[in-house]
């Protein structure tokens, strides 16, 4: 039992050491002093004094708030997950107390949800990923449809015109299919109480009118 109790601070220290080491490495890579990093954090709206950064990098700082990790990552122009799991710079890390060391790459993939963990709920992340994929498919199909329409207008022979029209029809069908799937997915998200992502102007017709907030009403004095 005592051995287990001793493992907990070791895990905390390991996580903090990962962040501290990567902050120091990234800061030096950018050619910044600790003061310059502190100045950048202040510009971002969350001051982290130079001495706090220095103490963190040297291991003298006892705690590491999540908000500090977020701001430090933004200041250093990287991702928070890359500070916690410095792939390529720390070979192995520990994901939770009492667990064995694992490759940092595997830990990062589980942290971001790229590698599924049996029994873990990914929330609406898969739905939002599907939404992004459908938006990309619809936009690409609309672009190809427009190019095929132009090719049909400028065709110099009947065969070229027919081929362009065939492609235009195929891409139009792809766009309609992606839009239909998007509308269904967005309806499911709303039924779950979630707010679907914003749509680009080219896909303004995906949501039926009753789903679109009325922003045209002018405020009366």
């Amino acid at each position: 039992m005592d051995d287990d109790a001793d493992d907990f601070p070791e895990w905390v220290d390991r996580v903090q050491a990962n962040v501290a080491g990567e902050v120091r490495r990234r800061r030096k890579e950018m050619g910044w002093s600790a003061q310059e990093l502190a100045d950048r954090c202040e510009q971002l709206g969350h001051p982290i004094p130079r001495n706090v950064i220095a103490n963190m990098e040297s291991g003298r700082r006892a705690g590491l708030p999540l908000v500090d990790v977020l701001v430090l990552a933004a200041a250093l122009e990287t991702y928070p997950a890359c500070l916690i799991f410095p792939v390529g710079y720390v070979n192995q890390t520990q994901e939770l107390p009492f667990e064995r060391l694992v490759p940092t790459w595997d830990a990062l993939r589980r942290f971001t949800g790229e590698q599924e963990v049996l029994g873990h709920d990914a929330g609406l992340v898969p739905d939002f990923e599907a939404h992004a994929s459908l938006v990309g498919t619809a936009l690409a199909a609309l672009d190809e449809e427009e190019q095929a329409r132009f090719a049909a207008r400028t065709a110099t022979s009947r065969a070229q015109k027919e081929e362009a029209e065939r492609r235009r029809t195929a891409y139009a069908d792809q766009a309609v299919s992606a839009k239909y799937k998007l509308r269904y997915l967005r309806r499911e998200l709303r039924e779950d109480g979630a707010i679907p992502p914003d749509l680009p102007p080219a896909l303004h017709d995906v949501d039926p009118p009753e789903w679109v907030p009325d922003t045209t009403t002018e405020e009366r004095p």
Side-chain angles (χ1 to χ4, degrees), residues 61-100:
R61 187 181 183 188
L64 185 62
L66 176 60
V67 291
D68 285 8
V69 176
L70 297 176
V71 173
L72 285 167
L76 294 167
E77 300 177 5
T78 186
Y79 301 100
C82 293
L83 295 184
I84 301 171
F85 300 106
V87 171
Y89 299 101
V90 174
N91 187 40
Q92 291 186 314
T93 191
Q94 190 179 15
E95 294 176 270
L96 290 171
F98 316 134
E99 292 189 355
R100 61 182 177 82

Side-chain angles (χ1 to χ4, degrees), residues 147-156 160-161 164-165 167-168:
Q147 291 185 41
R149 180 180 289 108
F150 176 79
R153 288 199 307 266
T154 58
T156 58
Q160 288 179 344
K161 183 177 180 63
E165 284 292 350
R167 289 191 293 110
R168 186 196 66 77

Side-chain angles (χ1 to χ4, degrees), residues 10 18 29-30 35-36 55 69 78 83 90-91 95 99 115 136 187 204 214:
E10 180 180 332
N18 283 353
E29 183 178 71
M30 297 177 75
Q35 184 59 58
E36 287 172 317
N55 287 337
V69 176
T78 186
L83 295 184
V90 174
N91 187 40
E95 294 176 270
E99 292 189 355
Q115 183 182 100
R187 184 181 71 186
H204 69 279
D214 183 8

Side-chain angles (χ1 to χ4, degrees), residues 12-71:
V12 172
D13 292 343
R14 189 184 299 276
V15 173
Q16 293 186 169
N18 283 353
V19 176
E22 186 59 10
V23 166
R24 180 173 57 252
R25 187 198 69 78
R26 181 72 177 162
R27 174 178 64 76
K28 290 183 177 180
E29 183 178 71
M30 297 177 75
W32 287 2
S33 66
Q35 184 59 58
E36 287 172 317
L37 176 55
D39 292 342
R40 180 57 183 144
C41 291
E42 185 171 7
Q43 290 173 0
L44 291 171
H46 181 73
I48 303 178
R50 185 206 62 78
N51 66 306
V52 172
I53 293 173
N55 287 337
M56 177 192 66
E57 291 185 0
S58 64
R60 295 192 300 272
R61 187 181 183 188
L64 185 62
L66 176 60
V67 291
D68 285 8
V69 176
L70 297 176
V71 173

